[in-house]
Amino acid sequence: MLDINRIRTNPDEIVAALKKRGYALDLTEFLSWDNERKALLLENESLKAERNTKSKLIPELKKKGEDASALLDELKIMADKVKELDERQDALEQKIKLFVQALPNIPADDVIAGGKEGNAVVKTFGEKPVFAYEPKNHVDLCTSLGLIDYERGVKMGGNGYWLYTGVGAQLEWALLNYFMAEHLKDGYTMMLPPHILTYECGLTAGQFPKFEEDVFRLTEEGFHFLLPTAETALINLYRGEILEEDELPKKLFAYTPCYRREAGSYRANERGMIRGHQFNKIEMFGYTLPEHSAEMLQELIAKACRLVEGLGLHYQLSKLAAGDCSASMATTYDIELWLPSMNEYKECSSVSNAMDYQARRGNIRFRRKEGKKIEFLHTLNGSGLATSRLLPAIVEQFQQGDGSVLIPEVLRPFLGGMERIKPQGR
RNA sequence: GGAGAGAUGGCCGAGUGGUUGAAGGCGCUGGUCUUGAAAACCAGUGAUGUCCUCGUGGCACCGGGGGUUCGAAUCCCUCUCUCUCCGCCA
């Protein structure tokens, strides 16, 4: 959520900043609501002050045995007026709140304006593998190697689901183990949060109210949903709390499956496990002092890159243009893996700095040691990593002429030393 | 799933309609005493949100929301959560 005071005092600045995202913002209506609200508030509060002082006279009059009925009549009229003003004020405040909640985060100064086409590759690791034969796509490879059973996955879960089988399941788990080991080595704290969350969680993360339709909602009454990313859980860890300065930074990671409806977002070329309703991800999450979030963003980017580099995969790191960053984020970097069969780079990690946007939504603050001042902290998150595009990249980039796939060395300890996955059967 | 109890300030805990933003205790801060510390004693203590005319100012805040009333921490409704007992179950 943006600082409402900032919107009030610098409306042009906000309009210009959101324009970088391609977000056309008209604040005239908001500003008139806001002025109206302030006038109402002043009127209402002075009326309440008068009511409160006069109300206190009642017991005194009664004590003296005097008649209070004239005063009671007067107060009765005031009470009705207060009620009316309260209602108008509440309605207006609700309208203002919904308006402000719907606004996306302001892109960081160094993020360039415009959409996807403005994304800039800032780093490349490795090279596109060259094959002396026609390389297979990951769907064929995973099937022939017995790693993934797409058909039976669909039989169980419907379109958009797959089933890891045998060595495929082990390989998937080896990836997660490898990530976890690295995060633990870096001193990050492991978390296993609930997968079913309340509406409030989605609101704090910034996914609601706008993207309510994108999650799997579980209950008819109330609102419980399956988390679309562990970020949604971890941002709510300290919701409504005030942390002490020396508790920061908090560096966390969590493993959860991610459940997404992805309604209508399948594309013909996104076969196999490129886009599914359920995929595994380890999420890194940070809570920092405002002055340290830029530094932490670099740390998270470096960690995510290191994980992919450890696997030996060719990838590129892109800095996203304003319009391609998700609504809650001020800065986002994506790690994109090379998928030979698609002739495309596909995202496997997204690392972002939300600055104080989510902290404001969730009222997550900290107290300075000096001066005891209470401020909103900064939150950051990054995939470290999502597996559903890693596994395809591994089998495609490391496929051999004989139909086998070489296993990255860092994963071998987690696979009982296995070096290569060979085609099954004949 | 059935029955009951509860949610008050950093913590414990009083408070059932009227100067109660809230007794008392603990904790914390300062002081006296002490070589120092402890103990004891004295004093202070909402590190909350919001508004303005920025003040020994106003409004709001006793789990959330709503209601009754001139006035609600106190009464009513509702939701959420916690606890106890019984039942069921991986």
Side-chain angles (χ1 to χ4, degrees):
Chain A
M1 200 156 62
L2 300 182
D3 180 359
I4 194 163
N5 274 317
R6 193 167 161 199
I7 307 177
R8 268 199 274 268
T9 48
N10 300 307
D12 297 339
E13 179 206 331
I14 303 289
V15 170
L18 292 189
K19 199 177 171 190
K20 282 175 77 176
R21 285 182 175 274
Y23 192 95
L25 176 64
D26 184 355
L27 286 174
T28 39
E29 203 176 24
F30 165 83
L31 291 170
S32 80
W33 292 345
D34 194 53
N35 286 330
E36 195 186 334
R37 186 199 68 95
K38 182 159 281 183
L40 260 177
L41 183 126
L42 286 172
E43 185 187 356
N44 198 7
E45 290 199 348
S46 62
L47 192 64
K48 279 179 179 169
E50 193 185 345
R51 177 202 61 188
N52 288 349
T53 26
K54 288 194 171 166
S55 248
K56 281 176 188 162
L57 297 174
I58 303 271
E60 287 174 35
L61 286 175
K62 282 189 177 165
K63 216 181 289 172
K64 288 187 216 155
E66 288 175 26
D67 178 30
S69 59
L71 188 53
L72 282 175
D73 287 346
E74 189 188 341
L75 282 167
K76 173 79 181 140
I77 293 165
M78 279 177 121
D80 290 342
K81 181 73 178 164
V82 164
K83 195 175 172 183
E84 185 215 319
L85 291 177
D86 271 346
E87 277 166 12
R88 279 168 58 195
Q89 196 183 322
D90 285 350
L92 204 50
E93 279 171 358
Q94 184 63 18
K95 212 154 59 165
I96 290 169
K97 194 174 124 193
L98 287 176
F99 181 86
V100 176
Q101 268 177 351
L103 297 179
N105 201 353
I106 289 175
D109 290 341
D110 62 348
V111 169
I112 73 155
K116 228 185 177 85
E117 66 288 346
N119 292 358
V121 174
V122 294
K123 176 184 174 180
T124 305
F125 176 83
E127 282 169 15
K128 293 178 188 172
V130 180
F131 300 99
Y133 49 92
E134 184 62 29
K136 291 185 187 160
N137 69 52
H138 77 274
V139 178
D140 294 341
L141 282 163
C142 285
T143 304
S144 65
L145 294 170
L147 303 181
I148 309 283
D149 190 332
Y150 295 99
E151 285 179 22
R152 293 194 179 89
V154 170
K155 178 157 76 181
M156 289 186 265
N159 183 35
Y161 293 89
W162 57 82
L163 170 71
Y164 295 92
T165 56
V167 176
Q170 288 176 264
L171 181 60
E172 174 76 2
W173 216 247
L175 281 166
L176 297 169
N177 276 319
Y178 159 57
F179 304 153
M180 284 196 274
E182 293 297 312
H183 294 317
L184 288 170
K185 216 182 283 174
D186 291 342
Y188 280 57
T189 306
M190 180 169 172
M191 300 286 193
L192 291 172
H195 296 184
I196 296 172
L197 303 175
T198 60
Y199 186 84
E200 192 69 22
C201 292
L203 202 62
T204 297
Q207 286 138 1
F208 298 166
K210 211 166 181 182
F211 300 113
E212 288 168 20
E213 303 305 313
D214 294 352
V215 297
F216 286 107
R217 181 174 174 177
L218 297 177
T219 45
E220 290 288 324
E221 69 280 352
F223 196 118
H224 290 268
F225 65 100
L226 284 169
L227 47 70
T229 156
E231 173 204 341
T232 316
L234 294 178
I235 183 62
N236 283 279
L237 194 56
Y238 301 110
R239 168 155 50 89
E241 297 188 33
I242 300 173
L243 305 180
E244 298 301 325
E245 179 177 351
D246 52 20
E247 291 180 77
L248 296 172
K250 297 228 181 239
K251 300 178 176 185
L252 314 170
F253 74 96
Y255 160 73
T256 68
C258 301
Y259 305 96
R260 301 185 179 180
R261 297 203 39 192
E262 301 286 4
S265 56
Y266 288 95
R267 283 188 234 124
N269 68 345
E270 290 184 332
R271 295 182 59 214
M273 49 200 297
I274 296 304
R275 190 179 297 277
H277 294 301
Q278 175 191 320
F279 61 89
N280 292 316
K281 176 156 67 76
I282 284 177
E283 182 77 358
M284 309 178 285
F285 202 92
Y287 290 87
T288 72
L289 298 177
E291 61 269 33
H292 292 160
S293 68
E295 191 184 311
M296 177 128 194
L297 179 67
Q298 292 310 315
E299 176 177 324
L300 293 179
I301 293 167
K303 274 170 66 65
C305 288
R306 208 185 68 214
L307 290 175
V308 186
E309 287 167 22
L311 293 167
L313 290 166
H314 168 51
Y315 74 87
Q316 62 183 28
L317 175 69
S318 290
K319 180 173 184 173
L320 301 192
D324 205 27
C325 296
S326 55
S328 300
M329 302 305 161
T331 311
T332 299
Y333 286 78
D334 275 2
I335 292 181
E336 295 149 341
L337 295 165
W338 175 245
L339 283 170
S341 71
M342 293 178 78
N343 199 30
E344 239 184 274
Y345 290 92
K346 296 300 278 186
E347 175 203 332
C348 75
S349 176
S350 192
V351 183
S352 304
N353 187 355
M355 313 284 279
D356 63 356
Y357 183 87
Q358 291 178 316
R360 281 180 187 280
R361 293 178 85 91
N363 198 25
I364 311 164
R365 296 172 294 172
F366 75 99
R367 192 164 8 240
R368 295 260 180 208
K369 256 193 266 187
E370 296 293 320
K372 316 274 187 185
K373 207 178 136 213
I374 294 173
E375 293 172 49
F376 290 104
L377 44 71
H378 280 195
T379 62
L380 303 99
N381 67 282
S383 344
L385 305 159
T387 59
S388 54
R389 288 171 184 167
L390 273 175
L391 204 143
I394 288 171
V395 295
E396 290 197 14
Q397 290 196 28
F398 299 148
Q399 61 181 294
Q400 307 295 307
D402 62 0
S404 70
V405 166
L406 272 181
I407 297 174
E409 267 178 53
V410 291
L411 298 182
R412 292 178 191 172
F414 301 106
L415 287 164
M418 196 189 302
E419 293 175 7
R420 178 189 292 267
I421 306 169
K422 295 180 182 129
Q424 291 183 317
R426 310 137 303 266

